[in-house]
Amino acid sequence: MITNRNHEHNIWLSYGNQKQNLHLPVNPPEIKLGDAAGGKTYEVSGLGEINVIQSPKLTNISFDCFFPAEAYPFLVSKTWIDPAFYVIVIKGWMEKKYPIRFIYTGPTFDINLPMSIEKFEWKEAAGSGDIEYSISLKEFAFYGARPVIIKNDKASVKPQARPSDKTTPKTYKLVAGDSLIKVARVQLGNEGRWKEIQKLNGIKDSQLKKLPIGMLLKLPG
């Protein structure tokens, strides 16, 4: 379970390799994560009980929060958007039946996973106009069929690469709290590649601590 306490935490939902991005305006008080390994025990004659470790189960993430009806001072996003907009976008993603990406960035660790929206419930809070919501996500495992090739009257299965939505975007726009190390960690999966980003964009060492919000960075492949 993750407990959000300040603006160092940010949660994004994105669709279509970041073609659509929602920066959640209010951090939920807590995020529930579940990724049990699913071990099973068996009785073996003469040995007693043994434990067989199974493949890890897919991660589940759920949380409750609200979309604000006005620009409260505690918003983590810089711009206020009408709460109905978030509902329309999320319901549209669900209708398309394609996974989204859940991105959590914090001071100590990050989460970046393809996920399906399993449940999304919402209601308008009486008197305030805020929209309260509950969302449940499940990690999405990309898969593809493998063609069967007939050789010498014997069927063999040809391995096929698993499809993925992890195409690295060519550019990235800086948001509040970003650094080249964090961009390398979230966008490239390796924070050690921040120097590649620095060199590619011609950023001087003296500019590293004063990168402007909204700066468009080119990202290495």
Side-chain angles (χ1 to χ4, degrees), residues 161-191:
R162 184 177 68 176
S164 171
D165 80 333
K166 294 184 178 180
T167 303
T168 304
K170 295 181 180 179
T171 59
Y172 174 78
K173 186 179 292 187
L174 290 177
V175 299
D178 271 346
S179 65
L180 294 190
I181 292 177
K182 177 174 282 191
V183 172
R185 181 170 65 239
V186 175
Q187 302 298 325
L188 304 179
N190 182 353
E191 63 181 28

PDB file of all heavy atoms in Angstrom, residues 161-191:
ATOM      1  N   ALA A 161       7.898 -12.893 -31.325  1.00  0.00           N
ATOM      2  CA  ALA A 161       8.099 -11.834 -30.339  1.00  0.00           C
ATOM      3  C   ALA A 161       6.766 -11.362 -29.787  1.00  0.00           C
ATOM      4  O   ALA A 161       5.783 -11.256 -30.517  1.00  0.00           O
ATOM      5  CB  ALA A 161       8.846 -10.661 -30.971  1.00  0.00           C
ATOM      6  N   ARG A 162       6.728 -11.086 -28.483  1.00  0.00           N
ATOM      7  CA  ARG A 162       5.517 -10.625 -27.838  1.00  0.00           C
ATOM      8  C   ARG A 162       5.281  -9.159 -28.169  1.00  0.00           C
ATOM      9  O   ARG A 162       6.173  -8.336 -28.054  1.00  0.00           O
ATOM     10  CB  ARG A 162       5.669 -10.777 -26.321  1.00  0.00           C
ATOM     11  CG  ARG A 162       4.416 -10.418 -25.554  1.00  0.00           C
ATOM     12  CD  ARG A 162       4.610 -10.661 -24.076  1.00  0.00           C
ATOM     13  NE  ARG A 162       5.584  -9.728 -23.507  1.00  0.00           N
ATOM     14  CZ  ARG A 162       5.880  -9.667 -22.231  1.00  0.00           C
ATOM     15  NH1 ARG A 162       5.335 -10.494 -21.388  1.00  0.00           N
ATOM     16  NH2 ARG A 162       6.777  -8.794 -21.785  1.00  0.00           N
ATOM     17  N   PRO A 163       4.045  -8.820 -28.606  1.00  0.00           N
ATOM     18  CA  PRO A 163       3.764  -7.409 -28.891  1.00  0.00           C
ATOM     19  C   PRO A 163       3.850  -6.584 -27.629  1.00  0.00           C
ATOM     20  O   PRO A 163       3.634  -7.067 -26.530  1.00  0.00           O
ATOM     21  CB  PRO A 163       2.328  -7.438 -29.447  1.00  0.00           C
ATOM     22  CG  PRO A 163       1.739  -8.700 -28.920  1.00  0.00           C
ATOM     23  CD  PRO A 163       2.879  -9.676 -28.829  1.00  0.00           C
ATOM     24  N   SER A 164       4.174  -5.313 -27.793  1.00  0.00           N
ATOM     25  CA  SER A 164       4.331  -4.442 -26.627  1.00  0.00           C
ATOM     26  C   SER A 164       3.933  -3.026 -26.979  1.00  0.00           C
ATOM     27  O   SER A 164       3.982  -2.611 -28.133  1.00  0.00           O
ATOM     28  CB  SER A 164       5.791  -4.472 -26.155  1.00  0.00           C
ATOM     29  OG  SER A 164       6.023  -3.507 -25.170  1.00  0.00           O
ATOM     30  N   ASP A 165       3.506  -2.285 -25.954  1.00  0.00           N
ATOM     31  CA  ASP A 165       3.197  -0.866 -26.158  1.00  0.00           C
ATOM     32  C   ASP A 165       4.318   0.015 -25.645  1.00  0.00           C
ATOM     33  O   ASP A 165       4.168   1.213 -25.489  1.00  0.00           O
ATOM     34  CB  ASP A 165       1.884  -0.489 -25.444  1.00  0.00           C
ATOM     35  CG  ASP A 165       2.080  -0.259 -23.958  1.00  0.00           C
ATOM     36  OD1 ASP A 165       3.018  -0.856 -23.382  1.00  0.00           O
ATOM     37  OD2 ASP A 165       1.298   0.505 -23.378  1.00  0.00           O
ATOM     38  N   LYS A 166       5.492  -0.587 -25.378  1.00  0.00           N
ATOM     39  CA  LYS A 166       6.569   0.149 -24.730  1.00  0.00           C
ATOM     40  C   LYS A 166       7.470   0.901 -25.709  1.00  0.00           C
ATOM     41  O   LYS A 166       8.657   1.037 -25.489  1.00  0.00           O
ATOM     42  CB  LYS A 166       7.407  -0.793 -23.870  1.00  0.00           C
ATOM     43  CG  LYS A 166       6.655  -1.360 -22.680  1.00  0.00           C
ATOM     44  CD  LYS A 166       7.544  -2.203 -21.812  1.00  0.00           C
ATOM     45  CE  LYS A 166       6.786  -2.733 -20.605  1.00  0.00           C
ATOM     46  NZ  LYS A 166       7.624  -3.573 -19.731  1.00  0.00           N
ATOM     47  N   THR A 167       6.924   1.368 -26.813  1.00  0.00           N
ATOM     48  CA  THR A 167       7.703   2.158 -27.746  1.00  0.00           C
ATOM     49  C   THR A 167       8.118   3.471 -27.085  1.00  0.00           C
ATOM     50  O   THR A 167       7.285   4.218 -26.585  1.00  0.00           O
ATOM     51  CB  THR A 167       6.872   2.475 -29.003  1.00  0.00           C
ATOM     52  OG1 THR A 167       6.443   1.246 -29.577  1.00  0.00           O
ATOM     53  CG2 THR A 167       7.695   3.253 -30.003  1.00  0.00           C
ATOM     54  N   THR A 168       9.424   3.709 -27.037  1.00  0.00           N
ATOM     55  CA  THR A 168       9.914   4.916 -26.383  1.00  0.00           C
ATOM     56  C   THR A 168       9.518   6.154 -27.182  1.00  0.00           C
ATOM     57  O   THR A 168       9.786   6.224 -28.386  1.00  0.00           O
ATOM     58  CB  THR A 168      11.446   4.874 -26.267  1.00  0.00           C
ATOM     59  OG1 THR A 168      11.817   3.685 -25.573  1.00  0.00           O
ATOM     60  CG2 THR A 168      11.955   6.093 -25.525  1.00  0.00           C
ATOM     61  N   PRO A 169       8.830   7.123 -26.563  1.00  0.00           N
ATOM     62  CA  PRO A 169       8.467   8.328 -27.297  1.00  0.00           C
ATOM     63  C   PRO A 169       9.708   9.077 -27.756  1.00  0.00           C
ATOM     64  O   PRO A 169      10.740   9.062 -27.095  1.00  0.00           O
ATOM     65  CB  PRO A 169       7.663   9.134 -26.258  1.00  0.00           C
ATOM     66  CG  PRO A 169       8.116   8.606 -24.938  1.00  0.00           C
ATOM     67  CD  PRO A 169       8.437   7.160 -25.166  1.00  0.00           C
ATOM     68  N   LYS A 170       9.612   9.760 -28.904  1.00  0.00           N
ATOM     69  CA  LYS A 170      10.761  10.477 -29.456  1.00  0.00           C
ATOM     70  C   LYS A 170      11.048  11.752 -28.679  1.00  0.00           C
ATOM     71  O   LYS A 170      12.177  12.217 -28.642  1.00  0.00           O
ATOM     72  CB  LYS A 170      10.509  10.788 -30.930  1.00  0.00           C
ATOM     73  CG  LYS A 170      10.416   9.538 -31.809  1.00  0.00           C
ATOM     74  CD  LYS A 170      10.189   9.922 -33.265  1.00  0.00           C
ATOM     75  CE  LYS A 170      10.092   8.687 -34.149  1.00  0.00           C
ATOM     76  NZ  LYS A 170       9.860   9.034 -35.565  1.00  0.00           N
ATOM     77  N   THR A 171      10.007  12.339 -28.076  1.00  0.00           N
ATOM     78  CA  THR A 171      10.188  13.569 -27.309  1.00  0.00           C
ATOM     79  C   THR A 171       9.435  13.457 -25.988  1.00  0.00           C
ATOM     80  O   THR A 171       8.548  12.623 -25.831  1.00  0.00           O
ATOM     81  CB  THR A 171       9.680  14.798 -28.081  1.00  0.00           C
ATOM     82  OG1 THR A 171       8.282  14.627 -28.389  1.00  0.00           O
ATOM     83  CG2 THR A 171      10.456  15.002 -29.363  1.00  0.00           C
ATOM     84  N   TYR A 172       9.804  14.335 -25.050  1.00  0.00           N
ATOM     85  CA  TYR A 172       9.127  14.371 -23.748  1.00  0.00           C
ATOM     86  C   TYR A 172       9.144  15.809 -23.251  1.00  0.00           C
ATOM     87  O   TYR A 172      10.168  16.489 -23.318  1.00  0.00           O
ATOM     88  CB  TYR A 172       9.834  13.455 -22.739  1.00  0.00           C
ATOM     89  CG  TYR A 172       9.260  13.564 -21.347  1.00  0.00           C
ATOM     90  CD1 TYR A 172       8.069  12.934 -21.012  1.00  0.00           C
ATOM     91  CD2 TYR A 172       9.911  14.318 -20.372  1.00  0.00           C
ATOM     92  CE1 TYR A 172       7.534  13.044 -19.741  1.00  0.00           C
ATOM     93  CE2 TYR A 172       9.374  14.435 -19.089  1.00  0.00           C
ATOM     94  CZ  TYR A 172       8.189  13.788 -18.779  1.00  0.00           C
ATOM     95  OH  TYR A 172       7.659  13.908 -17.526  1.00  0.00           O
ATOM     96  N   LYS A 173       7.986  16.261 -22.735  1.00  0.00           N
ATOM     97  CA  LYS A 173       7.872  17.620 -22.214  1.00  0.00           C
ATOM     98  C   LYS A 173       8.003  17.588 -20.697  1.00  0.00           C
ATOM     99  O   LYS A 173       7.300  16.844 -20.017  1.00  0.00           O
ATOM    100  CB  LYS A 173       6.527  18.234 -22.617  1.00  0.00           C
ATOM    101  CG  LYS A 173       6.374  19.708 -22.230  1.00  0.00           C
ATOM    102  CD  LYS A 173       5.034  20.260 -22.678  1.00  0.00           C
ATOM    103  CE  LYS A 173       4.955  20.353 -24.197  1.00  0.00           C
ATOM    104  NZ  LYS A 173       3.707  21.039 -24.628  1.00  0.00           N
ATOM    105  N   LEU A 174       8.908  18.387 -20.161  1.00  0.00           N
ATOM    106  CA  LEU A 174       9.174  18.397 -18.727  1.00  0.00           C
ATOM    107  C   LEU A 174       7.981  18.924 -17.938  1.00  0.00           C
ATOM    108  O   LEU A 174       7.312  19.879 -18.356  1.00  0.00           O
ATOM    109  CB  LEU A 174      10.397  19.271 -18.424  1.00  0.00           C
ATOM    110  CG  LEU A 174      11.766  18.735 -18.889  1.00  0.00           C
ATOM    111  CD1 LEU A 174      12.851  19.753 -18.588  1.00  0.00           C
ATOM    112  CD2 LEU A 174      12.087  17.419 -18.204  1.00  0.00           C
ATOM    113  N   VAL A 175       7.705  18.292 -16.795  1.00  0.00           N
ATOM    114  CA  VAL A 175       6.686  18.761 -15.869  1.00  0.00           C
ATOM    115  C   VAL A 175       7.367  19.087 -14.543  1.00  0.00           C
ATOM    116  O   VAL A 175       8.558  18.817 -14.346  1.00  0.00           O
ATOM    117  CB  VAL A 175       5.581  17.707 -15.659  1.00  0.00           C
ATOM    118  CG1 VAL A 175       4.877  17.401 -16.958  1.00  0.00           C
ATOM    119  CG2 VAL A 175       6.158  16.419 -15.073  1.00  0.00           C
ATOM    120  N   ALA A 176       6.613  19.666 -13.620  1.00  0.00           N
ATOM    121  CA  ALA A 176       7.178  20.059 -12.324  1.00  0.00           C
ATOM    122  C   ALA A 176       7.777  18.850 -11.612  1.00  0.00           C
ATOM    123  O   ALA A 176       7.187  17.781 -11.579  1.00  0.00           O
ATOM    124  CB  ALA A 176       6.103  20.701 -11.453  1.00  0.00           C
ATOM    125  N   GLY A 177       8.963  19.033 -11.033  1.00  0.00           N
ATOM    126  CA  GLY A 177       9.614  17.960 -10.290  1.00  0.00           C
ATOM    127  C   GLY A 177      10.495  17.063 -11.133  1.00  0.00           C
ATOM    128  O   GLY A 177      11.134  16.151 -10.615  1.00  0.00           O
ATOM    129  N   ASP A 178      10.523  17.280 -12.445  1.00  0.00           N
ATOM    130  CA  ASP A 178      11.328  16.438 -13.338  1.00  0.00           C
ATOM    131  C   ASP A 178      12.812  16.777 -13.228  1.00  0.00           C
ATOM    132  O   ASP A 178      13.199  17.912 -12.960  1.00  0.00           O
ATOM    133  CB  ASP A 178      10.885  16.618 -14.785  1.00  0.00           C
ATOM    134  CG  ASP A 178       9.782  15.649 -15.172  1.00  0.00           C
ATOM    135  OD1 ASP A 178       9.553  14.692 -14.414  1.00  0.00           O
ATOM    136  OD2 ASP A 178       9.153  15.850 -16.219  1.00  0.00           O
ATOM    137  N   SER A 179      13.622  15.776 -13.457  1.00  0.00           N
ATOM    138  CA  SER A 179      15.062  15.929 -13.643  1.00  0.00           C
ATOM    139  C   SER A 179      15.447  14.969 -14.758  1.00  0.00           C
ATOM    140  O   SER A 179      14.672  14.080 -15.130  1.00  0.00           O
ATOM    141  CB  SER A 179      15.818  15.583 -12.362  1.00  0.00           C
ATOM    142  OG  SER A 179      15.661  14.205 -12.043  1.00  0.00           O
ATOM    143  N   LEU A 180      16.629  15.120 -15.299  1.00  0.00           N
ATOM    144  CA  LEU A 180      17.050  14.226 -16.370  1.00  0.00           C
ATOM    145  C   LEU A 180      17.142  12.788 -15.866  1.00  0.00           C
ATOM    146  O   LEU A 180      16.866  11.842 -16.612  1.00  0.00           O
ATOM    147  CB  LEU A 180      18.396  14.676 -16.956  1.00  0.00           C
ATOM    148  CG  LEU A 180      18.405  16.014 -17.693  1.00  0.00           C
ATOM    149  CD1 LEU A 180      19.725  16.211 -18.422  1.00  0.00           C
ATOM    150  CD2 LEU A 180      17.251  16.132 -18.677  1.00  0.00           C
ATOM    151  N   ILE A 181      17.510  12.617 -14.601  1.00  0.00           N
ATOM    152  CA  ILE A 181      17.590  11.267 -14.037  1.00  0.00           C
ATOM    153  C   ILE A 181      16.203  10.638 -13.987  1.00  0.00           C
ATOM    154  O   ILE A 181      16.012   9.479 -14.374  1.00  0.00           O
ATOM    155  CB  ILE A 181      18.218  11.302 -12.632  1.00  0.00           C
ATOM    156  CG1 ILE A 181      19.696  11.704 -12.729  1.00  0.00           C
ATOM    157  CG2 ILE A 181      18.084   9.959 -11.934  1.00  0.00           C
ATOM    158  CD1 ILE A 181      20.391  11.834 -11.392  1.00  0.00           C
ATOM    159  N   LYS A 182      15.199  11.409 -13.536  1.00  0.00           N
ATOM    160  CA  LYS A 182      13.840  10.863 -13.462  1.00  0.00           C
ATOM    161  C   LYS A 182      13.284  10.593 -14.856  1.00  0.00           C
ATOM    162  O   LYS A 182      12.629   9.575 -15.085  1.00  0.00           O
ATOM    163  CB  LYS A 182      12.929  11.830 -12.710  1.00  0.00           C
ATOM    164  CG  LYS A 182      11.479  11.358 -12.655  1.00  0.00           C
ATOM    165  CD  LYS A 182      10.613  12.237 -11.778  1.00  0.00           C
ATOM    166  CE  LYS A 182      10.815  11.935 -10.320  1.00  0.00           C
ATOM    167  NZ  LYS A 182       9.806  12.594  -9.450  1.00  0.00           N
ATOM    168  N   VAL A 183      13.555  11.479 -15.813  1.00  0.00           N
ATOM    169  CA  VAL A 183      13.085  11.260 -17.187  1.00  0.00           C
ATOM    170  C   VAL A 183      13.695   9.985 -17.758  1.00  0.00           C
ATOM    171  O   VAL A 183      13.012   9.181 -18.390  1.00  0.00           O
ATOM    172  CB  VAL A 183      13.435  12.478 -18.080  1.00  0.00           C
ATOM    173  CG1 VAL A 183      13.136  12.174 -19.545  1.00  0.00           C
ATOM    174  CG2 VAL A 183      12.642  13.695 -17.630  1.00  0.00           C
ATOM    175  N   ALA A 184      14.989   9.779 -17.520  1.00  0.00           N
ATOM    176  CA  ALA A 184      15.650   8.573 -18.018  1.00  0.00           C
ATOM    177  C   ALA A 184      15.065   7.323 -17.374  1.00  0.00           C
ATOM    178  O   ALA A 184      14.880   6.300 -18.033  1.00  0.00           O
ATOM    179  CB  ALA A 184      17.153   8.653 -17.753  1.00  0.00           C
ATOM    180  N   ARG A 185      14.741   7.422 -16.066  1.00  0.00           N
ATOM    181  CA  ARG A 185      14.206   6.257 -15.357  1.00  0.00           C
ATOM    182  C   ARG A 185      12.808   5.906 -15.848  1.00  0.00           C
ATOM    183  O   ARG A 185      12.500   4.734 -16.099  1.00  0.00           O
ATOM    184  CB  ARG A 185      14.176   6.542 -13.850  1.00  0.00           C
ATOM    185  CG  ARG A 185      13.641   5.373 -13.018  1.00  0.00           C
ATOM    186  CD  ARG A 185      13.853   5.603 -11.531  1.00  0.00           C
ATOM    187  NE  ARG A 185      13.076   6.732 -11.040  1.00  0.00           N
ATOM    188  CZ  ARG A 185      13.583   7.798 -10.467  1.00  0.00           C
ATOM    189  NH1 ARG A 185      14.890   7.927 -10.298  1.00  0.00           N
ATOM    190  NH2 ARG A 185      12.797   8.785 -10.047  1.00  0.00           N
ATOM    191  N   VAL A 186      11.932   6.903 -16.006  1.00  0.00           N
ATOM    192  CA  VAL A 186      10.536   6.649 -16.365  1.00  0.00           C
ATOM    193  C   VAL A 186      10.364   6.400 -17.863  1.00  0.00           C
ATOM    194  O   VAL A 186       9.660   5.486 -18.287  1.00  0.00           O
ATOM    195  CB  VAL A 186       9.651   7.841 -15.918  1.00  0.00           C
ATOM    196  CG1 VAL A 186       8.218   7.643 -16.388  1.00  0.00           C
ATOM    197  CG2 VAL A 186       9.692   7.984 -14.409  1.00  0.00           C
ATOM    198  N   GLN A 187      11.039   7.215 -18.693  1.00  0.00           N
ATOM    199  CA  GLN A 187      10.824   7.134 -20.135  1.00  0.00           C
ATOM    200  C   GLN A 187      11.702   6.091 -20.819  1.00  0.00           C
ATOM    201  O   GLN A 187      11.297   5.513 -21.827  1.00  0.00           O
ATOM    202  CB  GLN A 187      11.070   8.512 -20.780  1.00  0.00           C
ATOM    203  CG  GLN A 187      10.199   9.622 -20.248  1.00  0.00           C
ATOM    204  CD  GLN A 187       8.719   9.375 -20.498  1.00  0.00           C
ATOM    205  OE1 GLN A 187       8.343   8.810 -21.512  1.00  0.00           O
ATOM    206  NE2 GLN A 187       7.878   9.781 -19.555  1.00  0.00           N
ATOM    207  N   LEU A 188      12.903   5.856 -20.288  1.00  0.00           N
ATOM    208  CA  LEU A 188      13.835   4.926 -20.935  1.00  0.00           C
ATOM    209  C   LEU A 188      14.055   3.662 -20.116  1.00  0.00           C
ATOM    210  O   LEU A 188      14.662   2.715 -20.597  1.00  0.00           O
ATOM    211  CB  LEU A 188      15.190   5.613 -21.189  1.00  0.00           C
ATOM    212  CG  LEU A 188      15.152   6.913 -22.004  1.00  0.00           C
ATOM    213  CD1 LEU A 188      16.554   7.475 -22.153  1.00  0.00           C
ATOM    214  CD2 LEU A 188      14.527   6.679 -23.368  1.00  0.00           C
ATOM    215  N   GLY A 189      13.573   3.657 -18.861  1.00  0.00           N
ATOM    216  CA  GLY A 189      13.728   2.473 -18.023  1.00  0.00           C
ATOM    217  C   GLY A 189      15.117   2.302 -17.447  1.00  0.00           C
ATOM    218  O   GLY A 189      15.455   1.257 -16.904  1.00  0.00           O
ATOM    219  N   ASN A 190      15.964   3.342 -17.536  1.00  0.00           N
ATOM    220  CA  ASN A 190      17.335   3.247 -17.030  1.00  0.00           C
ATOM    221  C   ASN A 190      17.813   4.658 -16.695  1.00  0.00           C
ATOM    222  O   ASN A 190      18.125   5.452 -17.590  1.00  0.00           O
ATOM    223  CB  ASN A 190      18.246   2.595 -18.072  1.00  0.00           C
ATOM    224  CG  ASN A 190      19.680   2.417 -17.570  1.00  0.00           C
ATOM    225  OD1 ASN A 190      20.046   2.893 -16.487  1.00  0.00           O
ATOM    226  ND2 ASN A 190      20.494   1.747 -18.353  1.00  0.00           N
ATOM    227  N   GLU A 191      17.856   4.979 -15.384  1.00  0.00           N
ATOM    228  CA  GLU A 191      18.228   6.342 -14.992  1.00  0.00           C
ATOM    229  C   GLU A 191      19.680   6.672 -15.343  1.00  0.00           C
ATOM    230  O   GLU A 191      20.055   7.833 -15.428  1.00  0.00           O
ATOM    231  CB  GLU A 191      18.005   6.537 -13.493  1.00  0.00           C
ATOM    232  CG  GLU A 191      18.853   5.664 -12.593  1.00  0.00           C
ATOM    233  CD  GLU A 191      18.552   5.901 -11.127  1.00  0.00           C
ATOM    234  OE1 GLU A 191      17.410   6.288 -10.798  1.00  0.00           O
ATOM    235  OE2 GLU A 191      19.453   5.700 -10.311  1.00  0.00           O
TER     236      GLU A 191
END
